[in-house]
RNA sequence: GUGAGUGUAGCUCAGUCAGGUAGAGCGCCGGAUUGUGGUUCCGGUGGUCGUGGGUUCGAACCCCAUCACUCACCCCA
């Protein structure tokens, strides 16, 4: 029979790895809550049309990377490839978009059918924050400061903030023409990918890694030269706020995002420690998305970060999370000991909620049970054998020090454990 | 989607070049006078060599296909 394995690009997070995930998630929550972002929980499946309309019908994500399928009633559905579209849809559907400024955050799995490699899997986890109803550059700055504080909380260093402004959609559209004209004039110098993108997403050609193209790209008209006056002002205001708060950034006129809904501010936090997948967090402003999804024009901005990449970065910098070991391991030898041991343990759990107490299951003598107690990482063994059952006592043996084991009555045990905790 | 590399015991790997029906370390289980772990010593358990075909008297090894992982392109968080 064929061995069953996980679907390609879908990873299991094993018990040994979950503590570091929990540590990361907790740290993110603390920072987000300190800026008063509130959690929103969203469906993993949405109608396909939502993504086609928001991310953009011409983007790679929508064209070749979505997990799309037909429901039993022939509805076209998609496993979400990102979180923003569903978030906007939910706030719109429930009328929160118009209920004054909103700050929300979400976390969970996203799905993209890409070839897996380092820092890129088909099911991956993002934490994102979105803010609605705020027009000025202040919210752009706040989002970036949230990110910066997250890096600080996690002890992540050596990453770069890249910043750009795409201008208004209109300005971006006319720039697109300008760029296509320029590149078409040099069509012969373009590589295969770039020629394809000339039709689909010409701005991304600016992002090309092909060294042969760098000269051509350097000579291209600059996006920043052609953005509208209001956007330029907005961008300047953002830079002032970042400067005033000591956030370092690099203006990168070639930074364009792969999702169509962005306008004005776009940013990306990148590292050079993770190979080809250098972006750990990215976002920007998307003032026209709410309209595209069918609502009234509402200014909006947000970011999303890739948790696998952040974890990989934390491992690079040598951080280690501690796995959850029991504090107490209860050794029980003989049927009578098991019997009264279970009842004793249940009483302890009543008295001390959350007590990390591991009961030995599966029999065996004292020797083998102690081996397992040691291996479990527990600090103390609680020992129950025939003698203890007969005398209504328990032996407590410290496993991590040379201290002698000692005897307490079963009535005293809860108090003694509280003392040891 | 394109290209390259890898796949042998629960884990890390040797064996592949020059085909002769599988090895090490760690782990796991047990023992060292039977109610005490962590060190040491002794013994044991362990793999249809990713999967399916082919070549051959004979394949972990050569060939083809396929799946998965890794890396790069691409894409993006």
């Amino acid at each position: 029979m064929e061995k069953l394995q996980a679907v390609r690009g879908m990873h299991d997070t094993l018990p040994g790895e979950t503590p570091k995930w929990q540590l990361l998630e907790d740290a993110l929550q603390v920072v987000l809550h300190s800026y008063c972002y509130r959690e929103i929980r969203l469906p993993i499946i949405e109608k396909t049309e939502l993504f086609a309309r928001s991310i953009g019908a011409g983007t790679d994500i929508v064209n070749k990377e979505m997990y799309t399928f037909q429901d039993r009633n022939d509805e076209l559905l998609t496993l979400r490839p990102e979180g923003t579209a569903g978030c906007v849809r939910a706030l719109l559907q429930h009328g929160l978009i118009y209920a004054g400024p909103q700050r929300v955050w979400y976390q969970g799995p996203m799905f993209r059918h890409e070839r897996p490699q380092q820092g890129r899997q088909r099911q991956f986890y993002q934490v994102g924050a979105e803010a609605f109803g705020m027009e000025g550059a202040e919210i752009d700055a706040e989002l970036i400061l949230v990110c910066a504080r997250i890096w600080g909380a996690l002890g992540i260093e050596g990453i770069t903030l890249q910043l750009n402004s795409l201008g208004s959609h209109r300005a971006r559209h006319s720039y697109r023409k300008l760029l296509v004209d320029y590149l078409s004039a040099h069509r012969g110098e373009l590589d295969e990918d770039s020629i394809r993108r000339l039709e689909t997403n010409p701005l991304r050609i600016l992002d090309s890694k092909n060294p042969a193209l760098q000269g051509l790209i350097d000579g291209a008209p600059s996006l920043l030269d052609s953005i509208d006056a209001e956007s330029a002002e907005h961008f300047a205001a953002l830079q002032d706020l970042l400067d005033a708060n000591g956030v370092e950034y690099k203006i990168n006129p070639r930074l364009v995002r792969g999702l169509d809904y962005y306008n004005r501010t776009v940013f990306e936090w990148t590292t050079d420690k993770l190979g080809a997948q250098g972006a750990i967090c990215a976002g920007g402003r998307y003032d026209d998305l709410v309209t595209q999804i069918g609502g009234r024009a509402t200014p909006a901005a947000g970011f999303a970060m890739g948790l696998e990449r952040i974890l990989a970065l934390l491992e690079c910098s040598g951080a280690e999370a501690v796995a959850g070991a029991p504090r107490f391991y209860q050794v029980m030898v003989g049927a009578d000991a098991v019997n009264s041991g279970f009842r004793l343990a249940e009483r302890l759990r009543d008295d001390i909620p959350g007590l990390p107490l591991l009961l030995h299951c599966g029999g065996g003598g004292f020797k083998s049970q102690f081996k397992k107690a040691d291996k479990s990482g527990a600090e103390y063994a609680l020992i129950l054998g025939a003698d203890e059952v007969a005398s209504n006592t328990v032996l407590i043996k410290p496993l991590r020090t040379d201290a002698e084991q000692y005897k307490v009555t079963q009535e005293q045990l809860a108090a003694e454990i509280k003392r040891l905790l």
Side-chain angles (χ1 to χ4, degrees):
Chain A
M1 209 199 309
E2 201 185 327
K3 272 183 204 159
L4 251 27
Q5 31 184 341
V7 174
R8 179 167 209 194
M10 315 271 173
H11 288 245
D12 301 307
T13 304
L14 301 176
E17 306 168 293
T18 47
K20 65 184 185 193
W21 279 85
Q22 287 162 351
L23 238 52
L24 172 61
E25 287 159 5
D26 290 350
L28 291 171
Q29 275 192 35
V30 167
V31 175
L32 285 161
H33 286 157
S34 80
Y35 285 83
C36 302
Y37 284 68
R38 300 187 296 161
E39 186 179 8
I40 183 168
R41 301 197 179 189
L42 301 161
I44 286 170
I45 298 174
E46 296 277 359
K47 292 182 183 168
T48 303
E49 193 194 349
L50 173 65
F51 301 116
R53 253 157 73 176
S54 57
I55 298 171
T59 60
D60 280 10
I61 294 182
V62 170
N63 280 336
K64 8 184 240 202
E65 296 179 359
M66 294 207 304
Y67 281 90
T68 296
F69 61 96
Q70 266 186 343
D71 196 3
R72 287 178 192 276
N73 45 15
D74 290 339
E75 201 165 22
L76 215 50
L77 304 178
T78 294
L79 262 47
R80 63 182 184 192
E82 58 101 46
T84 302
C87 183
V88 172
R89 193 229 80 226
L91 292 184
L92 199 53
Q93 181 177 335
H94 298 99
L96 292 171
I97 284 266
Y98 309 130
Q102 298 286 332
R103 288 173 171 84
V104 297
W105 69 274
Y106 59 83
Q107 68 176 326
M110 308 295 164
F111 302 85
R112 291 181 202 171
H113 191 106
E114 302 177 276
R115 188 95 169 231
Q117 66 182 73
Q118 181 180 95
R120 188 170 84 181
Q121 35 280 123
R122 290 181 173 182
Q123 175 174 337
F124 60 102
Y125 291 80
Q126 285 189 339
V127 163
E130 316 285 358
F132 298 91
M134 288 161 275
E135 208 156 352
E138 299 95 326
I139 193 65
D140 306 29
E142 179 181 282
L143 287 162
I144 288 172
L145 286 171
V146 169
C147 295
R149 188 164 295 277
I150 285 170
W151 311 140
L154 295 171
I156 289 179
E157 286 170 1
I159 54 174
T160 310
L161 171 61
Q162 303 199 51
L163 201 59
N164 194 20
S165 177
L166 301 175
S168 66
H169 265 105
R170 206 141 138 226
R172 185 171 161 193
H173 202 76
S174 48
Y175 173 73
R176 183 184 157 127
K177 258 185 206 141
L178 212 64
L179 183 66
V180 170
D181 287 348
Y182 168 81
L183 291 171
S184 299
H186 300 82
R187 200 184 173 91
E189 300 165 50
L190 293 176
D191 58 20
E192 206 178 307
D193 282 324
S194 299
I195 288 170
R196 179 178 54 79
R197 281 184 292 201
L198 209 49
E199 308 287 331
T200 58
N201 199 345
L203 295 201
R204 286 213 62 89
I205 298 176
L206 297 174
D207 246 355
S208 174
K209 285 180 197 165
N210 187 344
L213 257 46
Q214 295 312 307
L216 187 62
I217 292 168
D218 287 339
S222 171
L223 177 59
L224 282 173
D225 290 339
S226 69
I227 68 173
D228 53 295
E230 279 184 7
S231 294
E233 206 176 298
H234 183 102
F235 195 37
L238 171 61
Q239 290 174 55
D240 282 346
L241 278 168
L242 294 180
D243 291 339
N245 286 284
V247 178
E248 285 179 36
Y249 55 89
K250 228 172 76 184
I251 292 183
N252 177 0
R254 296 180 186 179
L255 177 68
V256 296
R257 313 294 346 290
L259 293 77
D260 277 357
Y261 51 64
Y262 287 109
N263 68 304
R264 291 197 171 165
T265 309
V266 290
F267 61 89
E268 203 170 288
W269 296 87
T270 57
T271 173
D272 53 10
K273 294 183 183 116
L274 295 180
Q277 309 303 323
I280 57 168
C281 172
R285 191 163 260 286
Y286 47 93
D287 295 317
D288 296 319
L289 180 55
V290 176
T291 324
Q292 279 170 45
I293 293 182
R296 288 203 300 273
T298 307
F303 66 76
M305 43 185 69
L307 299 193
E308 286 86 354
R309 291 183 186 179
I310 291 171
L311 282 172
L313 205 54
L314 286 171
E315 268 154 39
C316 283
S317 60
E320 278 285 329
V322 188
R327 299 287 299 277
F328 297 88
Y329 191 105
Q330 188 163 303
V331 168
M332 300 175 287
V333 179
D336 289 345
V338 169
N339 217 304
S340 69
F342 261 77
R343 282 179 286 131
L344 179 64
E346 286 304 308
R347 267 183 278 138
L348 286 175
R349 294 186 208 280
D350 287 341
D351 290 346
I352 312 171
L355 174 72
L357 167 65
L358 187 64
L359 294 202
H360 178 86
C361 292
F366 284 92
K367 193 185 186 74
S368 74
Q369 292 201 27
F370 273 103
K371 276 192 177 176
K372 291 190 169 111
D374 178 57
K375 188 143 269 179
S376 77
E379 281 165 64
Y380 298 93
L382 305 180
I383 309 163
L384 277 167
D387 296 351
E388 288 73 25
V389 172
S391 61
N392 205 38
T393 56
V394 180
L395 286 174
I396 300 176
K397 174 172 175 140
L399 296 171
R400 308 293 153 205
T401 65
D402 291 332
E404 288 293 312
Q405 64 186 34
Y406 56 99
K407 187 186 288 185
V408 299
T409 68
Q410 295 193 5
E411 286 67 37
Q412 294 169 324
L413 183 59
E416 177 60 17
I417 285 177
K418 279 182 190 159
R419 198 183 65 79
L420 295 173
L421 290 170

